[in-house]
Amino acid sequence: MREASRDRLKAFLTLLPSIILIGVFVYGFIGETIWTSLTDWGGSGALSLTPEKNFIGLANYVELFTGVLGGGFRQDLVNAVYYSVMLLVGAVGLGMFIAILLDQKPKGEDVLRTIFLYPMSLSFIVSGTIWRWLLAPQGGLNVLPKYAGMEPLDFQWLSSTAAILEFNWQNLFQILLYVAAFLLILTGLWLLKKDSGMAVKRWLVPGIAVGAGAWLFGDLLPEALFMEETHGFNLATMGIIMATVWQYSGYTMALYLAGFNGISQDLRDAAMLDGASEVGYYRHVAIPMLKPITISAVIILSHISLKMFDLIFAMTGPDNAETGHPALNMYLTTFRANNFAQGAAIAIVLFLVAAMFIVPYLVSQYRQRGRR
Amino acid sequence: MANVELKQVFKRYGDVEVVHGVDLEIMDSEFIVLVGPSGCGKSTVLRMVAGLEVISGGEIVIDGRVVNQVSPKDRNVAMVFQNYALYPHMSVRENMGFSLKMSKMSRDDIAAKVQEAAGILELEPYLDRKPSELSGGQRQRVAMGRAIVRKPDVFLFDEPLSNLDAQLRTQMRMELRKMHMRMNTTTIYVTHDQIEAMTLADRIVILKDGYIQQVGTPVEVYEKPANVFVARFIGNPPMNIFDGVVATVDGLRCVQLGETMFPLSEGKGDGLADGRPVIVGLRPDAIKMGDKLEKLPEKWHCTCEVVLSEILGGHSLLEVVVDGKHTMIAEVEGRILAHPGEIVPIGFEFDRMVLFDPETTNALL
Ligand SMILES: Nc1ncnc2c1ncn2[C@@H]1O[C@H](COP(=O)(O)OP(=O)(O)OP(=O)(O)O)[C@@H](O)[C@H]1O
Ligand SMILES: [Mg+2]
């Protein structure tokens, strides 16, 4: 008994320094930032030795989401959502595809693997600069068709102001409900094969109800903004998405390739004998088996995309409204405009969005461990 | 159901040839067991039949069709792997139904077939579990279930029982036998466990270094091994082997091992000249002791000195020395416990003695 408690004491003492450090420098500062975001610290005099800070509640958040001046932030948030989704689809899809090709054991697999993984080792500033050159209006990508004897492209990769998939921010609540309904119905359809009763009761019916409700009574929902304000997918962000996909698909490729290599040859043989084609093997056996890898890749990439700063900074600079990103906005608001409270509010919004990805993952991990 | 024919089948990996012209004809619904030491090419032969390895030379014919260029999924063969190779992310039900799903069978038909197979293998309570939630024996059954739902032309087994403990292995062996009697599917079964080989096989194929040594029924390979390798490989404990010389003593044909004489039974060794060196093989269970001695003719009796004796339940193993020189293992019925150094009477079933040529090591006669 005494032995055990001494062991505990030792363990506690060993962990203490890191508990203190993390407590102060991570959680302490998160708390400090939350507090700051609830004050009016900013404007002239913000940098004085004893700045004036008054508690103003959630006013900063209300301003960000519904205020006149928050329009830039709202576009940035929309950008971040599109950016994350595209990066996930692009990097996971492309990485998986390359991994499948390399899993066929072509000649020179080692060399190819290194080549594909190489962009990962570049700093974002370097790759951002390279891609800015490649995407320059008269350079790189746009002149490529010339080599095939065609007219050069004249697309303004990084400064186009065109946008697609636009929506009115006023209808935000309605749109969110549609998205929720869509996700519910999708899950329901997906589960239909496994347990149709549960799928209908728990997913399909609520999904249809939410969707129909949003459609019928959408007008009754409060408007998120007092005036019309459209946001959409800015085509200028495509270049940034391409650059990030280029940089990270090698990483997902490495993850998947390691996973594929870990699947025993017997399993592959068994699938072949069971009548699975090459495509069937990946679709029904290999990729479902690597679900943990897919989840990790999604978590990691969504974090990277939510925190993306340097690549955008290097590619389009801080002042290109079309390609803005909340992280960039946060930096500019805080350190260029000295609007500390508002910057803190942006940081906390980003933090909460990131938590939306990571918390369900952590919970499921703990549950799994509990089961074991 | 189908017959399988291997015609001069070769397998090379680069410059290394590992299977050298194997010829084998397997009849419809026959149970063939491939045995041989590790690395002799058993798995390679099996995988060539399955289509998982390219055939470097020769032809494999299944049901009258040359399958060299036919992909595994179109050969209608099912394989059970040593480590089961179950799909870890699928439930037992999905594992067993996977091949049917791939063949685009309707969901109801799949459910019915899986249910039927699960009934045969007593897997019904586990259908919704994942493989990781099953015991080794249950996984083994699922692997078998996955093979039988498809009603394939040929079953291929690669050491399917070697990951199980001894008791379960015996039990599964019997179930395999029953399953074969019920389904009558042509089966090729790889093992290095000779009890499995002896009990399951209609015919045993003994491989060594990529060459077939002998093909025969279990009794044939046990009693009439084609060469010294088979004699030693089949049977546990292995056959006793001695060097001797053919001779005629007092008008009786015999093999002389120094002063000891092993008489040749009627007609045996007629073609061999006196003075020809031979290798003599005698199964441990061709040696008799105790009350079983009485059944043997008096002239086949002598005495020996016991070195070691072990009782294995109903029978006993003894290491004995005859004439102070020739050490041999005897496997005798009943419990015979003799002290080391004790001199006891012993008898030999000399009609079961086999002779081999010392140069080629092939069986004589
Ligand atoms: N991919 C390969 N490349 C080169 N040689 C190989 C390859 N696969 C197998 N071999 C060789 O072929 C020979 C036969 O292998 P095989 O796996 O058929 O043996 P086995 O009889 O099944 O042995 P075990 O009882 O240990 O399973 C071995 O000598 C092995 O080294
Ligand atoms: Mg093998």
Side-chain angles (χ1 to χ4, degrees):
Chain A
M1 193 62 217
R2 264 184 51 209
E3 268 303 297
S5 65
R6 194 184 302 163
D7 274 356
R8 267 206 196 156
L9 186 67
K10 262 194 226 158
F12 179 71
L13 285 177
T14 326
L15 287 174
L16 195 58
S18 51
I19 289 176
I20 292 174
L21 288 174
I22 290 177
V24 170
F25 288 103
V26 177
Y27 295 98
F29 283 121
I30 289 176
E32 169 75 19
T33 309
I34 292 176
W35 165 246
T36 306
S37 76
L38 301 175
T39 67
D40 64 353
W41 185 17
S44 58
L47 292 174
S48 73
L49 281 180
T50 52
E52 197 182 324
K53 291 191 212 174
N54 301 308
F55 179 78
I56 55 166
L58 294 172
N60 283 320
Y61 296 94
V62 173
E63 171 66 25
L64 282 178
F65 282 97
T66 62
V68 190
L69 297 176
F73 167 76
R74 291 193 282 273
Q75 178 59 53
D76 291 352
L77 204 59
V78 172
N79 275 354
V81 169
Y82 281 119
Y83 177 62
S84 299
V85 171
M86 303 275 216
L87 172 63
L88 285 181
V89 174
V92 170
L94 188 63
M96 192 188 276
F97 181 69
I98 299 174
I100 288 174
L101 292 186
L102 288 188
D103 195 36
Q104 309 310 310
K105 312 277 179 256
K107 277 218 177 83
E109 185 206 337
D110 296 350
V111 180
L112 288 172
R113 198 172 38 200
T114 315
I115 289 176
F116 288 125
L117 199 51
Y118 174 69
M120 254 273 286
S121 65
L122 290 181
S123 106
F124 274 125
I125 294 292
V126 173
S127 60
T129 310
I130 295 172
W131 275 94
R132 192 177 66 207
W133 292 334
L134 285 176
L135 298 176
Q138 258 94 47
L141 222 55
N142 274 354
V143 298
L144 265 188
K146 267 191 168 168
Y147 293 100
M150 288 184 284
E151 282 292 295
L153 297 173
D154 62 349
F155 185 64
Q156 307 278 320
W157 284 99
L158 298 173
S159 53
S160 160
T161 52
I164 52 169
L165 301 172
E166 292 194 83
F167 65 94
N168 187 348
W169 188 267
Q170 276 184 313
N171 304 332
L172 185 67
F173 293 126
Q174 202 179 358
I175 290 167
L176 287 180
L177 286 178
Y178 279 139
V179 170
F182 176 71
L183 291 179
L184 283 171
I185 293 172
L186 208 66
T187 321
L189 288 180
W190 184 61
L191 287 176
L192 205 54
K193 272 194 226 160
K194 286 188 185 156
D195 183 350
S196 47
M198 242 245 315
V200 171
K201 213 164 55 194
R202 300 251 315 253
W203 302 97
L204 281 180
V205 170
I208 292 167
V210 168
W215 186 62
L216 285 175
F217 307 112
D219 299 340
L220 300 180
L221 287 169
E223 297 199 329
L225 209 60
F226 59 88
M227 55 176 187
E228 275 201 13
E229 181 177 299
T230 54
H231 295 293
F233 174 57
N234 284 339
L235 293 185
T237 57
M238 253 174 16
I240 294 171
I241 292 168
M242 275 164 55
T244 325
V245 168
W246 173 78
Q247 188 140 17
Y248 272 100
S249 51
Y251 172 65
T252 47
M253 174 215 73
L255 287 180
Y256 279 113
L257 199 56
F260 288 147
N261 284 336
I263 297 177
S264 82
Q265 182 65 35
D266 281 354
L267 221 54
R268 200 177 180 135
D269 292 344
M272 294 265 279
L273 284 169
D274 274 347
S277 59
E278 199 71 15
V279 175
Y281 162 71
Y282 287 103
R283 188 168 143 219
H284 297 290
V285 179
I287 294 172
M289 267 179 76
L290 299 187
K291 202 167 99 195
I293 289 184
T294 306
I295 292 175
S296 322
V298 165
I299 300 277
I300 293 166
L301 288 176
S302 57
H303 272 244
I304 287 170
S305 66
L306 285 173
K307 290 184 293 198
M308 183 50 69
F309 179 88
D310 28 9
L311 183 76
I312 300 172
F313 198 95
M315 281 184 75
T316 61
D319 304 316
N320 190 334
E322 267 62 50
T323 59
H325 188 281
L328 204 60
N329 193 337
M330 189 264 293
Y331 168 79
L332 297 175
T333 309
T334 313
F335 300 110
R336 290 271 175 91
N338 290 339
N339 217 335
F340 294 105
Q342 190 113 67
I346 298 175
I348 294 302
V349 170
L350 268 183
F351 173 70
L352 292 178
V353 175
M356 267 163 35
F357 282 92
I358 190 87
V359 169
Y361 172 70
L362 287 180
V363 168
S364 74
Q365 287 286 303
Y366 275 124
R367 273 218 200 116
Q368 260 176 22
R369 208 160 308 155
R371 230 183 296 151
R372 251 178 244 150
Chain B
M1 282 191 219
N3 53 342
V4 179
E5 216 176 318
L6 283 74
K7 293 181 188 162
Q8 279 299 303
V9 170
F10 284 86
K11 178 68 196 176
R12 284 177 217 97
Y13 289 109
D15 295 337
V16 192
E17 191 171 285
V18 295
V19 174
H20 321 273
V22 163
D23 276 310
L24 185 61
E25 228 174 294
I26 301 168
M27 263 104 65
D28 186 18
S29 80
E30 197 174 16
F31 200 121
I32 287 282
V33 174
L34 286 180
V35 286
S38 188
C40 68
K42 309 181 289 289
S43 299
T44 307
V45 170
L46 200 70
R47 292 170 60 82
M48 283 195 285
V49 175
L52 299 170
E53 296 285 352
V54 177
I55 301 161
S56 311
E59 259 179 12
I60 293 184
V61 184
I62 298 179
D63 203 13
R65 174 172 69 139
V66 178
V67 294
N68 287 32
Q69 305 300 330
V70 179
S71 78
K73 64 176 191 280
D74 299 324
R75 295 191 184 191
N76 201 17
V77 299
M79 186 155 168
V80 175
F81 296 82
Q82 178 175 355
N83 58 13
Y84 318 139
L86 300 177
Y87 308 118
H89 60 292
M90 296 185 199
S91 66
V92 169
R93 191 190 302 279
E94 290 166 322
N95 261 288
M96 286 169 57
F98 184 67
S99 61
L100 304 178
K101 184 173 158 193
M102 288 294 104
S103 66
K104 306 250 159 38
M105 193 179 275
S106 81
R107 207 171 292 160
D108 294 342
D109 290 351
I110 295 179
K113 297 217 164 188
V114 168
Q115 202 64 40
E116 186 196 341
I120 295 172
L121 294 162
E122 292 165 24
L123 278 172
E124 280 135 327
Y126 312 109
L127 277 175
D128 290 311
R129 290 205 202 169
K130 292 271 165 69
S132 59
E133 297 159 347
L134 297 176
S135 73
Q138 288 159 352
R139 282 180 215 182
Q140 167 59 44
R141 271 174 222 272
V142 176
M144 221 118 90
R146 198 169 63 174
I148 66 174
V149 283
R150 297 168 44 189
K151 307 239 157 41
D153 285 341
V154 184
F155 275 138
L156 305 173
F157 291 92
D158 195 350
E159 309 196 23
L161 306 184
S162 54
N163 283 355
L164 302 179
D165 65 47
Q167 209 167 356
L168 206 52
R169 201 182 301 182
T170 313
Q171 190 191 334
M172 288 305 292
R173 203 174 68 211
M174 288 166 142
E175 289 190 19
L176 263 173
R177 182 93 200 129
K178 281 188 216 149
M179 204 173 84
H180 183 252
M181 289 198 290
R182 157 183 198 147
M183 307 190 48
N184 265 316
T185 308
T186 314
T187 304
I188 309 178
Y189 186 103
V190 164
T191 180
H192 54 237
D193 180 318
Q194 31 176 311
I195 302 183
E196 277 171 34
M198 299 298 277
T199 50
L200 288 172
D202 291 325
R203 282 189 302 157
I204 297 181
V205 177
I206 295 123
L207 271 176
K208 180 195 171 204
D209 298 338
Y211 292 98
I212 286 189
Q213 304 292 311
Q214 188 173 4
V215 182
T217 64
V219 175
E220 269 168 19
V221 296
Y222 190 74
E223 292 296 341
K224 296 194 165 35
N227 54 37
V228 175
F229 173 80
V230 175
R232 280 184 190 276
F233 189 78
I234 296 288
N236 186 21
M239 191 180 255
N240 296 301
I241 302 280
F242 312 97
D243 290 323
V245 176
V246 178
T248 308
V249 179
D250 300 337
L252 280 174
R253 300 278 290 158
C254 67
V255 179
Q256 266 186 318
L257 295 75
E259 283 95 73
T260 316
M261 274 186 290
F262 282 1
L264 286 165
S265 52
E266 203 67 34
K268 209 173 228 177
D270 279 355
L272 303 174
D274 282 357
R276 187 193 200 291
V278 288
I279 295 175
V280 181
L282 201 57
R283 287 274 171 212
D285 61 348
I287 301 175
K288 302 287 169 190
M289 293 170 102
D291 48 5
K292 296 286 181 298
L293 266 178
E294 293 155 17
K295 294 198 183 128
L296 289 177
E298 201 77 31
K299 59 182 176 179
W300 289 354
H301 289 196
C302 70
T303 56
C304 66
E305 186 188 338
V306 176
V307 179
L308 199 69
S309 72
E310 291 172 338
I311 294 178
L312 305 173
H315 63 281
S316 317
L317 282 187
L318 292 99
E319 185 179 331
V320 297
V321 180
V322 173
D323 286 346
K325 266 205 289 238
H326 310 294
T327 306
M328 55 187 85
I329 307 284
E331 185 182 8
V332 296
E333 279 172 60
R335 300 189 187 93
I336 294 185
L337 193 57
H339 296 290
E342 217 173 297
I343 307 289
V344 294
I346 191 173
F348 302 94
E349 287 180 319
F350 281 121
D351 48 350
R352 288 176 60 193
M353 185 167 78
V354 278
L355 303 180
F356 303 98
D357 182 345
E359 260 154 47
T360 62
T361 77
N362 287 337
L364 293 168
L365 334 160

